Amino acid sequence: MFRTALRNVLAHKARLLMTVLAVMLGVAFVSGTLVFTDTLSNAFRNQSAKSYDNVAVAVTSYADENDTKQEPGLSQRTLDKVGELDGVASATGRVDGFAGVADPDGKLIGVGWSNKGANFAPGKDGKDPAYDFTEGSGPVKDDQIALDKDTAAKGEYKVGDRVRVATNGPVEEYTLAGVFTTEDGAVSAGGSLVLFDTSVAQKLYLKPGYFKDLTVTAAPGADDARILDAVQPLLPDNARAQTGAALAEEQAKQIEEGMSSLNQMLLGFAAIALFVGVFLISNTFTMLVAQRTKELALMRAVGASRKQITRSVLAEAGLVGLVASVVGLALGIGLAVGLRSGMAAFGMKVPDGSLVIGTTPVLAALGVGVLITMFAAWLPGRRAAKIPPVAAMSSVHAVATTKSLVVRNSIGAGITAIGAALIVAGAAAGSDGRMLIGGGAFLALVGVIVLIPLLARPVIALVRPLLLRAFGVSGKLAGQNAVRNPRRTGATASALAIGLTLVTGLSVLGVTVGTALDKMTTDQIKADYMVAMAGGGDLDQSALTALEKAPGVTAVSPQQAAYFDVDGDFVAASAITPGDIERVLNVEVVDGSLDSLGAGRIAVAEKTAAKRGWKIGETLPVTFGDDKKGSLTVGAVYKDSEFLSPVLVDTKVVNPHEVKPYIPQIFVTMDGGQTAANEKALVNALGDNPAISVMDKQDIRDQFGGMINMMLNIMYGLLAMALIIAVLGVVNTLAMSVFERQQEIGMLRAIGLDRRRVKRMVRLEAVVISVFGAVVGIALGSFLGWAIGQTIKSSLPGYALVIPWDRIGIFLILAALVGVLAAMWPARSAARLNMLNAIKAE
């Protein structure tokens, strides 16, 4: 039987190529994901370990800026004491924060969130072991800096040039003293690194004479653990010390955790691709078994048992799966290499390191490929074994019994009903119902797949009159052929339905959320511009002062983050400018007046006021961030806003209690509205700071909606793998249909159906099956999109379901195009059949 299986594999190479491609793509996704994440994790782990190679002990401080009694970091005195300990060769202080470099056009180099500044800390030899200088030397004067090699190249800067650098304060110019290479994670992530003289960095990021971190190197023969024991008593309460080895291990675990989420997401899409591949593989083996029905019947007649027949089909599937797995593994390794190289195109540097091909990707590739193929081939093999020899010799294929169809449809209807009920229950439960929706979605999808053969007849019957009127005999025959074998049509349509369910669900949810965010932005922002730091950092108080003095500004208010305690409960607040806040944001007052903010009172969001029982005129005892006590009176109640915290308060009330106000955004209204001149005036007022973004209303809308569109595009790209496999499934189904209807096609050709109309018939059949699968997927996907949307409705004001008809129209057109492309080879084969040979075919 094994020799028979091997012979059959070699005899049907073209048919099995489809299965090989499907399995190969799925396996490539799985193995590529595992190799890519293993390689990435290993590279970052090695980089982390390398960073701590010579570190005996690392100390990190966790200062609270609002705690005036606490030291802001590790003092120079602490550093000196650590340096004097036995076994310590050197102790180095580090301090860092945000720093952005302008290119020659004044634009920010890097991505904002990974633009970093730090101090140059030379040892006795004048060198900092953390950095290797390729040009010049480290900064040793207040007006000097050093840049990492990539940033210097992007900015076309050379030693001696003047460089504009932005921190959270005004832009300053420095002289470039040197260029260095580094393994710093900020640079690897596509950002930049600016080195300042230590005193300058302390002044910018912490406080003169203080460091955020300390690194201790050991003298030859010294024990790291003993140094750690000696260091700990010298540290303040807000500092933590650990050995360099322990810190490297901790960072390695964090890297592993960070990679696991990416790994799981990519493997999820690989699972979808493999799930879709099951239908293609099952169809392929159904076709191969149908072609060999008489051969299998003869084998049964001469003594082969049912188990042997099933085993021969499974052995054939195992061989195909093994070949596909090996090829898929090789392709996956290539994919991993491509992904790693592709990261550089997006400005993300991956640390140097060899490609990691462990046993897990290899075993996963072989195991998944072989098992999936054998699982999908098991049912066709079992059906082949159950056909009685006499029946098989007299019929090309066995027709499903009425009993089997009734059982199948009853099971499918039950599973679908349970799944739909769970989805509806999850939608009704709100944010707590997402697990219910997930389980319901799986059951509904399985149920619909089981029911698709039943749905095929009535749904396709609706379009058959249209096909007849538009395409005549070819259209009529295509409609009949599409439902001739409902099970096979259903299996083919299922592959497309799965992909379109996911794509449509994501589209409905993404467009709905994007529209709600866009509406929220349009409805709630009156300001002409929003000013924010690149990368989401906080703005310096000087930026607010500069904007208040800018020409043409009629209203300006920060959205400053603040907080205080009321009766022991934490309350988040937005510190704003009274009188201007209602001119830059739409604050809808329910009770009282916002004018009371100018008198030192507070405004409370409606839901918070109701929850806490606060009323107009009520005085609340509060404790501010610096632990000082006071009282605040409620002067107004306003409708909740996504742009504002539950409490509004004048900046003058909270600023005396803040060491450094935290200002994420500033809203500005200008005389004349949005104009190029007004935007230029704001940019000039801010000192042409490359790290500060001045966004108009469209920019604000794009900021909120752009991320959703980017995520959707990534999802579409990942789901393309499943759709490619679905296309192969349509090709297989049509090839099988042409094979089974050779006599019929020969007769049609004999009575006058020319080759052009034969091709049209096959193409239309493919289009009908593809569009049918798309319609099922779109309907189910829209239902899931609605249900998931219900779980986030309460947290997104203005939420309303939006069905993206334009995208759905595109999906249907693409489904029809898939049918046309998939039918090219089968249609050509059908048209080229010799009519006399076809009529004689058995």
Side-chain angles (χ1 to χ4, degrees):
M1 297 305 292
F2 179 77
R3 285 198 300 270
T4 302
L6 182 60
R7 185 201 67 192
N8 288 327
V9 168
L10 297 175
H12 300 93
K13 293 184 285 291
R15 296 283 186 270
L16 290 172
L17 179 62
M18 301 296 176
T19 296
V20 169
L21 286 173
V23 178
M24 181 187 72
L25 290 173
V27 168
F29 216 143
V30 172
S31 58
T33 294
L34 293 173
V35 171
F36 174 65
T37 52
D38 284 352
T39 300
L40 221 57
S41 296
N42 185 66
F44 282 116
R45 275 197 305 269
N46 290 342
Q47 182 191 51
S48 175
K50 186 178 178 182
S51 300
Y52 296 103
D53 268 349
N54 300 317
V55 176
V57 173
V59 182
T60 301
S61 64
Y62 303 91
D64 183 352
E65 291 182 346
N66 290 314
D67 188 346
T68 55
K69 299 177 183 177
Q70 188 183 76
E71 286 191 294
L74 301 160
S75 67
Q76 182 66 47
R77 183 178 57 187
T78 301
L79 176 64
D80 293 339
K81 287 183 178 180
V82 171
E84 294 170 358
L85 292 172
D86 289 338
V88 172
S90 65
T92 305
R94 301 287 181 187
V95 62
D96 58 52
F98 171 81
V101 180
D103 66 15
D105 296 326
K107 302 297 183 183
L108 182 69
I109 297 174
V111 292
W113 56 269
S114 61
N115 289 348
K116 181 180 171 184
N119 65 305
F120 175 66
K124 294 177 182 179
D125 58 357
K127 296 180 180 180
D128 189 329
Y131 311 104
D132 294 322
F133 279 82
T134 57
E135 297 178 45
S137 59
V140 292
K141 297 179 181 178
D142 288 357
D143 69 337
Q144 290 182 333
I145 60 164
L147 292 176
D148 68 272
K149 187 177 180 180
D150 289 345
T151 302
K154 290 174 185 175
E156 300 178 358
Y157 291 121
K158 296 180 180 178
V159 172
D161 288 349
R162 297 289 286 177
V163 182
R164 297 177 70 246
V165 179
T167 55
N168 285 48
V171 180
E172 298 285 349
E173 275 200 358
Y174 299 87
T175 300
L176 183 62
V179 176
F180 59 89
T181 59
T182 177
E183 295 292 329
D184 192 282
V187 178
S188 296
S192 60
L193 178 59
V194 182
L195 294 183
F196 300 93
D197 179 62
T198 295
S199 61
V200 175
Q202 288 176 328
K203 191 184 301 181
L204 287 172
Y205 301 126
L206 209 57
K207 186 178 178 180
Y210 283 89
F211 300 94
K212 180 183 176 184
D213 305 311
L214 298 182
T215 55
V216 181
T217 57
D223 182 64
D224 292 354
R226 288 187 179 180
I227 294 175
L228 176 64
D229 292 339
V231 166
Q232 284 178 328
L234 303 177
L235 302 179
D237 294 337
N238 63 324
R240 178 191 176 208
Q242 55 190 140
T243 63
L247 185 58
E249 183 63 28
E250 183 180 291
Q251 290 199 358
K253 289 180 180 178
Q254 291 173 352
I255 291 167
E256 202 74 40
E257 290 171 3
M259 287 293 110
S260 67
S261 56
L262 173 65
N263 200 22
Q264 289 169 8
M265 183 186 76
L266 292 175
L267 286 176
F269 284 98
I272 293 167
L274 288 167
F275 185 48
V276 172
V278 166
F279 297 96
L280 168 57
I281 298 165
S282 181
N283 264 359
T284 300
F285 279 91
T286 298
M287 177 169 63
L288 295 176
V289 167
Q291 290 177 342
R292 302 201 314 270
T293 302
K294 289 189 177 182
E295 175 191 326
L296 295 174
L298 182 60
M299 292 175 67
R300 287 289 314 282
V302 297
S305 67
R306 288 185 177 183
K307 288 183 179 180
Q308 285 179 309
I309 296 295
T310 303
R311 281 200 296 267
S312 72
V313 175
L314 290 179
E316 188 176 339
L319 289 170
V320 172
L322 183 62
V323 171
S325 297
V326 171
V327 177
L329 175 61
L331 187 63
I333 293 170
L335 180 64
V337 173
L339 284 172
R340 181 174 175 176
S341 301
M343 290 181 71
F346 291 95
M348 296 183 67
K349 275 183 61 181
V350 179
D352 292 334
S354 58
L355 192 69
V356 178
I357 306 174
T359 54
T360 300
V362 175
L363 293 176
L366 295 175
V368 167
V370 174
L371 291 176
I372 288 290
T373 309
M374 293 181 70
F375 170 76
W378 174 76
L379 191 57
R382 184 169 172 271
R383 285 177 184 163
K386 291 176 68 176
I387 300 173
V390 174
M393 288 179 181
S394 61
S395 176
V396 174
H397 63 276
V399 179
T401 63
T402 302
K403 180 181 177 182
S404 68
L405 291 174
V406 170
V407 171
R408 176 188 176 118
N409 294 333
S410 299
I411 292 173
I415 294 173
T416 304
I418 295 170
L422 288 174
I423 292 171
V424 172
S431 59
D432 297 327
R434 288 168 193 161
M435 292 297 292
L436 278 176
I437 292 175
F442 176 75
L443 291 176
L445 193 58
V446 171
V448 167
I449 289 169
V450 174
L451 280 177
I452 272 185
L454 177 66
L455 297 172
R457 287 186 181 278
V459 173
I460 294 176
L462 294 175
V463 299
R464 279 167 63 182
L466 298 176
L467 292 172
L468 176 61
R469 283 197 293 269
F471 302 102
V473 170
S474 295
K476 180 180 180 180
L477 291 172
Q480 291 174 342
N481 292 335
V483 293
R484 179 174 292 186
N485 191 328
R487 279 187 171 177
R488 193 171 64 236
T489 297
T492 305
S494 294
L496 282 165
I498 293 167
L500 266 298
T501 294
L502 297 170
V503 169
T504 305
L506 288 170
S507 298
V508 169
L509 189 63
V511 171
T512 299
V513 171
T515 302
L517 289 173
D518 189 66
K519 184 176 185 300
M520 181 178 69
T521 303
T522 305
D523 291 350
Q524 296 191 27
I525 296 181
K526 292 182 178 179
D528 297 314
Y529 298 98
M530 183 176 82
V531 178
M533 284 292 289
D538 62 306
L539 293 156
D540 189 73
Q541 184 74 30
S542 60
L544 177 60
T545 304
L547 291 171
E548 289 172 339
K549 296 177 181 178
V553 171
T554 57
V556 58
S557 175
Q559 206 283 62
Q560 179 179 319
Y563 73 94
F564 41 77
D565 284 352
V566 178
D567 295 327
D569 290 334
F570 174 86
V571 177
S574 289
I576 48 80
T577 302
D580 283 1
I581 184 64
E582 57 266 44
R583 298 172 65 185
V584 297
L585 292 177
N586 186 13
V587 185
E588 192 172 341
V589 178
V590 176
D591 195 8
S593 172
L594 290 180
D595 292 339
S596 62
L597 290 169
R601 296 194 171 195
I602 61 172
V604 183
E606 190 175 21
K607 291 180 181 177
T608 301
K611 181 181 178 181
R612 296 179 179 267
W614 294 345
K615 302 185 183 301
I616 299 295
E618 183 175 351
T619 299
L620 309 173
V622 301
T623 302
F624 292 99
D626 58 356
D627 290 334
K628 292 184 178 179
K629 299 186 182 297
S631 61
L632 294 173
T633 303
V634 179
V637 175
Y638 63 93
K639 281 196 174 181
D640 291 71
S641 167
E642 286 297 305
F643 284 92
L644 294 169
S645 297
V647 172
L648 297 183
V649 62
D650 190 348
T651 54
K652 294 177 182 177
V653 173
V654 297
N655 280 355
H657 306 282
E658 302 277 353
V659 174
K660 183 180 182 298
Y662 185 84
I663 308 174
Q665 300 107 15
I666 301 173
F667 294 96
V668 182
T669 300
M670 302 191 73
D671 188 16
Q674 295 178 184
T675 65
N678 278 344
E679 184 174 341
K680 182 64 176 174
L682 294 182
V683 171
N684 290 339
L686 293 165
D688 198 13
N689 192 322
I692 298 180
S693 300
V694 178
M695 295 177 279
D696 60 22
K697 287 183 178 178
Q698 187 58 50
D699 292 331
I700 299 169
R701 293 164 71 180
D702 291 343
Q703 185 184 46
F704 286 103
M707 185 175 295
I708 292 173
N709 288 330
M710 182 181 71
M711 289 178 63
L712 280 177
N713 290 333
I714 291 172
M715 297 297 181
Y716 290 159
L718 292 171
L719 287 170
M721 184 77 74
L723 294 177
I724 289 171
I725 294 173
V727 172
L728 297 176
V730 177
V731 174
N732 249 17
T733 295
L734 292 175
M736 184 173 183
S737 179
V738 169
F739 166 76
E740 289 180 353
R741 300 203 307 271
Q742 287 186 71
Q743 283 188 333
E744 177 187 316
I745 292 171
M747 288 296 297
L748 290 171
R749 291 276 288 112
I751 62 175
L753 194 69
D754 59 25
R755 289 182 175 181
R756 182 172 57 83
R757 284 188 287 181
V758 169
K759 286 182 180 180
R760 183 185 298 167
M761 174 187 72
V762 177
R763 289 195 194 104
L764 288 174
E765 181 182 350
V767 170
V768 168
I769 293 173
S770 299
V771 173
F772 167 60
V775 168
V776 172
I778 287 168
L780 186 55
S782 299
F783 179 47
L784 290 176
W786 163 81
I788 297 171
Q790 293 299 110
T791 66
I792 62 174
K793 186 176 181 180
S794 59
S795 60
L796 194 60
Y799 178 92
L801 182 68
V802 178
I803 302 295
W805 296 110
D806 54 342
R807 298 194 187 195
I808 286 176
I810 292 172
F811 297 157
L812 288 172
I813 292 171
L814 289 175
L817 183 61
V818 161
V820 172
L821 293 175
M824 290 178 67
W825 173 53
R828 186 167 175 270
S829 298
R832 294 181 66 182
L833 281 174
N834 183 292
M835 67 181 74
L836 295 178
N837 291 337
I839 291 170
K840 290 190 298 179
E842 296 182 2

